[in-house]
Amino acid sequence: MKKLFLFIAILFAVSNLTAQIYDPVSFTTSVKEIGENKCTLIITAKIDKGWHIYSQNVPKGGPAPTGFSFPKSKNYKTAGSVTEPDGHEVDDPVFNMRIKYFADKAVFTQNIERKTAEAFTINASIFFMVCNDNSCLPPGAKDLKFTFKKSDVPVKAETAAIAKADETLTKKSSKKTITKQETKNDTTNSVTESEKDTPKIQKTELKEPSSQKADDSLWTLFFFSFLGGLAALFTPCVFPMIPMTVSFFTKQSKNKAIGIRNAALYGVFIIIIYVILGSLVTAIFGADALNALATNVVFNIVFFILLVIFAISFLGAFEIVLPSSWMTKVDQKSEVGGIIGIFFMALALALVSFSCTGPIVGTLLVQATSQAGMAPIIGMFGFSLAIALPFAVFAAFPGWMNSLPKSGGWLNSVKVVLGFLELALALKFLSNADLVLQLHLLEREVFIAIWIAIFSVLTLYLFGKIQLSHDTPVTHISVGRLSLGIVVFSFVIYMIPGLWGAPLQYISGFPPAKQYSESPNGFGNTTVTNNEKTALPEGAESGPNRIPTFHDYNEGLAYAKKVNKPVMIDFTGYACVNCRKMEERVWPDPKVLGVLNNDVVLISLYVDDKRPLPKSEQVVSKITGKVLKYTGQKWSELQILKYKTNAQPYYVLMDHNENDLNKPSAYNPDIETYYKWLQEGIANFKK
């Protein structure tokens, strides 16, 4: 389980590469002479508040231990091993073991014997992992430099005489100067994008990491990717291949066991091919670059166009096909026997079925790239797993194929339904671009109206009232098609009240927020009333759920001091789906809404705000070294530097001296937990 945890942790760590820009530990070195050509090398680690590094001795299966490397040299020899301070021993809930760590400051010492009076330098290194009580940065190394001046005290003759012998001994033992587990410095880290904060570390026991939802998006992506793979199975390009391929393996194999093995290999190769595709997307774009796509206007518009093209293809206007020469070459390779032949059979399936699977794969990759990190790989794994499973299952139980429905016009209907879904999804990316630019061209009512139109036409199609040119004539409607039509029609009816301000919690995060609409304060009331304007503090606006909201940090802080209330910083984004879910599912709760309206001063800082900063506020970023030109960049810089995270939403309760009142909160849709978090911070403010 520990190895599994470490493997999963590295996946999430890669998807949060921005965390690696932080450096919570700094090292200084010094040399102390203790007489008779003996010296002590002193390494002092200064550790930021809330972070810690581990001991040199960590049980097997734990985090990366601290280790030191001193190069062999004729100028000195080490005496004993590195001495470390007492530190704190805790029962770590993640690794399920007792671990020693050092916080705030740690002093390590290494005794050496000097073998020359000449000046020289020792270039050593330290390997370490730095963590707080719920996240870690990747293990790394830093150079340590110790400078020795020319000594007036001559080196003892016997020391010089045995220098050569010592050098020989050093050659044999030099590999042992590094801590035994130093090679584990590539062990995975456990960075949770939503919780790179700096809470206090208990000196007796580390707190169990709080249950956050930052990695839920990957599981959600996997689930929908798996559903996408199931949908791809029921397309004209893939479904007929199942009985043909399984029959080939069972008939061409010497016995049933070999047939099952070959079919299983076929499924595994399908997974490998699609996972490689996801890996290429990650490698080409880069995990860190993908993290910015959700708010990048150009990418969102490009994705919108791509999905519209995919949708039109599924609706039957044209087919997206790969060059026939590719399929010919792969088909020839598939005739080769053995494992190689099976691999090329799987590749042939991927190419032949591309006209059906391509739009689905493209949609999944588009969605995955907006989540960044390992998302494209996770998405392709879920998609390919759904496609691969039937081949292995039906090879093991060929009799089950008799229960499969026969191919027919219904397969094309599946493609058309997928086309409508892609068209609806495409609108979200266009909405993201509009939100970031604040153009107000695709406001909430317009978005919902278009979705109502799309799903209304889909309802008519499912009920057989509309047919496309390539459809098989519908003489009757199956029970399954009728049931799906009823579900879609119910969804249309559900969305209609949204045109008049209904919250539509089941699709929260997809349409723009309620305040981004033609009637932000309700149907027929397009402006804030005079009474409401009077009630708003100077500099504030009517925010989500009509909560008075500041968008300027300094103005909000000044007002909080004036009314003697704590500040709640809301790091958010116009294109942040989870931010909208919190605002539409958690904040409207009467208890939570009462607190946000009456007990705190809300400052919402949009990290994707593209409004240009005044020239006087355009400064050089301490992170990238580039000039900050936009308002959102300013708030993003503040969040990263102060709270060591760039995930949204991210909520901070602080006092008038800008000190945190409790541990910041990330996305957490549990209303009671969020309410208790608010109450805890307010109680600490009143102490």
Side-chain angles (χ1 to χ4, degrees):
M1 286 301 295
K2 295 171 187 173
K3 292 182 178 179
L4 178 61
F5 168 79
L6 291 173
F7 175 75
I8 296 174
I10 198 170
L11 296 183
F12 296 140
V14 172
S15 71
N16 294 288
L17 288 180
T18 52
Q20 298 181 33
I21 64 176
Y22 309 116
D23 194 7
V25 185
S26 59
F27 296 93
T28 56
T29 60
S30 59
V31 178
K32 180 181 179 181
E33 295 193 18
I34 54 178
E36 297 183 350
N37 303 312
K38 294 180 180 180
C39 303
T40 298
L41 307 181
I42 303 172
I43 305 104
T44 303
K46 186 178 180 182
I47 308 166
D48 287 355
K49 185 178 180 181
W51 294 84
H52 58 272
I53 60 176
Y54 292 100
S55 167
Q56 298 174 88
N57 301 304
V58 174
K60 186 177 181 181
T66 299
F68 297 85
S69 176
F70 295 91
K72 60 183 180 180
S73 173
K74 62 182 180 180
N75 297 322
Y76 74 97
K77 72 172 182 177
T78 57
S81 58
V82 175
T83 302
E84 63 183 27
D86 293 335
H88 312 283
E89 288 196 16
V90 297
D91 294 315
D92 192 290
V94 174
F95 295 97
N96 194 26
M97 61 178 64
R98 194 156 186 83
I99 301 178
K100 180 179 177 182
Y101 74 93
F102 312 107
D104 300 326
K105 180 180 179 181
V107 179
F108 302 87
T109 59
Q110 170 68 61
N111 291 330
I112 67 164
E113 185 173 350
R114 185 169 181 167
K115 297 193 293 183
T116 178
E118 298 299 319
F120 67 95
T121 300
I122 299 177
N123 293 309
S125 60
I126 179 173
F127 301 87
F128 64 98
M129 174 186 279
V130 57
C131 304
N132 59 27
D133 67 346
N134 52 61
S135 62
C136 298
L137 300 186
K142 285 192 177 181
D143 295 330
L144 303 173
K145 185 176 182 179
F146 303 88
T147 302
F148 290 79
K149 297 180 180 179
K150 186 173 182 179
S151 176
D152 296 328
V153 180
V155 176
K156 287 185 176 181
E158 60 267 30
T159 302
I162 63 172
K164 187 174 182 179
D166 286 340
E167 185 176 350
T168 303
L169 180 62
T170 303
K171 289 181 181 179
K172 296 180 180 180
S173 61
S174 60
K175 292 183 179 180
K176 297 182 181 179
T177 60
I178 303 176
T179 306
K180 288 189 292 183
Q181 292 186 343
E182 173 192 319
T183 55
K184 289 188 178 182
N185 67 78
D186 59 343
T187 46
T188 60
N189 57 31
S190 177
V191 180
T192 305
E193 185 178 81
S194 62
E195 285 205 296
K196 302 184 192 87
D197 45 47
T198 55
K200 294 181 180 179
I201 298 177
Q202 301 293 327
K203 293 190 176 182
T204 55
E205 182 178 2
L206 284 177
K207 294 180 181 179
E208 185 176 356
S210 57
S211 176
Q212 295 294 337
K213 308 295 180 182
D215 42 311
D216 279 3
S217 58
L218 286 177
W219 286 107
T220 302
L221 176 66
F222 174 83
F223 174 73
F224 282 106
S225 298
F226 189 83
L227 291 182
L230 293 179
L233 279 174
F234 296 102
T235 58
C237 312
V238 181
F239 188 80
M241 299 292 292
I242 297 176
M244 293 172 55
T245 306
V246 171
S247 297
F248 172 82
F249 284 129
T250 53
K251 291 179 181 179
Q252 297 298 320
S253 304
K254 295 180 180 180
N255 54 56
K256 183 179 180 180
I258 296 177
I260 294 174
R261 184 204 66 182
N262 290 343
L265 279 174
Y266 183 73
V268 169
F269 285 138
I270 290 174
I271 294 174
I272 290 174
I273 289 167
Y274 282 102
V275 169
I276 289 175
L277 176 61
S279 302
L280 288 174
V281 170
T282 303
I284 292 171
F285 286 99
D288 189 42
L290 293 177
N291 192 46
L293 295 187
T295 58
N296 186 287
V297 174
V298 174
F299 273 98
N300 273 285
I301 293 176
V302 169
F303 288 165
F304 165 73
I305 295 172
L306 280 176
L307 292 189
V308 170
I309 293 173
F310 292 155
I312 295 174
S313 171
F314 265 157
L315 292 174
F318 55 84
E319 285 193 357
I320 302 174
V321 295
L322 296 174
S324 59
S325 58
W326 293 13
M327 289 179 276
T328 301
K329 292 180 181 179
V330 171
D331 190 54
Q332 292 174 349
K333 293 288 185 181
S334 66
E335 296 176 0
V336 178
I339 295 177
I340 296 177
I342 295 174
F343 172 80
F344 279 100
M345 283 185 65
L347 183 58
L349 172 69
L351 296 179
V352 170
S353 63
F354 184 79
S355 61
C356 293
T357 60
I360 301 176
V361 170
T363 303
L364 292 175
L365 287 176
V366 165
Q367 184 62 32
T369 51
S370 67
Q371 295 188 29
M374 299 294 291
I377 298 174
I378 298 296
M380 289 301 94
F381 175 72
F383 175 83
S384 57
L385 181 64
I387 290 183
L389 279 176
F391 293 97
V393 171
F394 286 118
F397 306 98
W400 290 4
M401 285 194 296
N402 296 327
S403 62
L404 288 176
K406 294 182 180 180
S407 300
W410 65 272
L411 291 175
N412 184 71
S413 298
V414 172
K415 286 182 61 178
V416 174
V417 171
L418 292 174
F420 279 107
L421 294 178
E422 296 224 1
L423 200 57
L425 182 60
L427 200 64
K428 173 59 181 172
F429 290 94
L430 183 61
S431 174
N432 284 346
D434 181 64
L435 283 166
V436 172
L437 294 176
Q438 290 288 285
L439 298 177
H440 288 267
L441 298 176
L442 193 58
E443 294 180 319
R444 183 179 176 87
E445 293 91 344
V446 178
F447 185 100
I448 294 174
I450 296 175
W451 264 34
I452 289 174
I454 291 173
F455 287 101
S456 294
V457 176
L458 175 56
T459 301
L460 294 174
Y461 177 82
L462 291 171
F463 286 157
K465 302 300 181 182
I466 295 176
Q467 289 190 6
L468 300 179
S469 58
H470 57 291
D471 279 334
T472 302
V474 178
T475 58
H476 67 280
I477 299 176
S478 65
V479 174
R481 184 164 179 163
L482 177 63
S483 300
L484 181 59
I486 293 173
V487 171
V488 175
F489 186 53
S490 300
F491 181 57
V492 170
I493 296 175
Y494 168 76
M495 288 191 291
I496 291 175
L499 296 172
W500 289 273
L504 304 182
Q505 291 193 7
Y506 287 118
I507 58 172
S508 62
F510 279 92
K514 291 174 66 176
Q515 64 267 24
Y516 192 81
S517 63
E518 295 178 2
S519 304
N521 300 288
F523 182 72
N525 183 14
T526 58
T527 59
V528 180
T529 65
N530 290 332
N531 289 337
E532 287 176 312
K533 286 182 178 179
T534 303
L536 287 174
E538 184 179 354
E541 297 178 6
S542 181
N545 303 287
R546 300 194 186 184
I547 302 168
T549 306
F550 288 88
H551 295 298
D552 184 273
Y553 184 93
N554 294 323
E555 286 184 353
L557 181 59
Y559 179 74
K561 293 178 180 178
K562 178 181 177 181
V563 297
N564 195 30
K565 291 181 181 180
V567 172
M568 189 177 105
I569 302 295
D570 167 29
F571 288 102
T572 184
Y574 291 116
C576 171
V577 173
N578 284 342
C579 302
R580 301 295 85 76
K581 289 180 179 179
M582 291 293 292
E583 293 165 5
E584 296 173 13
R585 297 182 183 181
V586 178
W587 287 15
D589 179 81
K591 300 191 301 293
V592 174
L593 189 59
V595 172
L596 297 179
N597 269 317
N598 305 314
D599 300 332
V600 299
V601 174
L602 178 62
I603 304 177
S604 293
L605 305 178
Y606 287 81
V607 300
D608 53 4
D609 190 340
K610 298 300 183 182
R611 290 178 302 164
L613 281 169
K615 287 289 185 180
S616 59
E617 296 182 29
Q618 293 185 10
V619 297
V620 176
S621 169
K622 295 180 181 179
I623 300 172
T624 64
K626 298 179 180 179
V627 176
L628 302 177
K629 296 182 179 180
Y630 302 105
T631 302
Q633 292 177 322
K634 175 182 177 180
W635 304 137
S636 179
E637 177 103 345
L638 170 67
Q639 184 186 5
I640 292 174
L641 292 179
K642 189 171 183 179
Y643 298 105
K644 307 208 173 13
T645 179
N646 65 347
Q648 293 84 42
Y650 196 74
Y651 307 108
V652 180
L653 286 170
M654 69 180 195
D655 60 20
H656 300 157
N657 295 319
E658 303 179 65
N659 297 315
D660 295 350
L661 295 170
N662 55 0
K663 185 168 68 175
S665 174
Y667 171 67
N668 188 346
D670 186 280
I671 293 175
E672 287 301 321
T673 302
Y674 192 77
Y675 177 69
K676 290 179 181 178
W677 173 77
L678 288 170
Q679 291 292 341
E680 178 189 37
I682 294 170
N684 290 337
F685 176 78
K686 293 179 179 178
K687 289 181 179 179

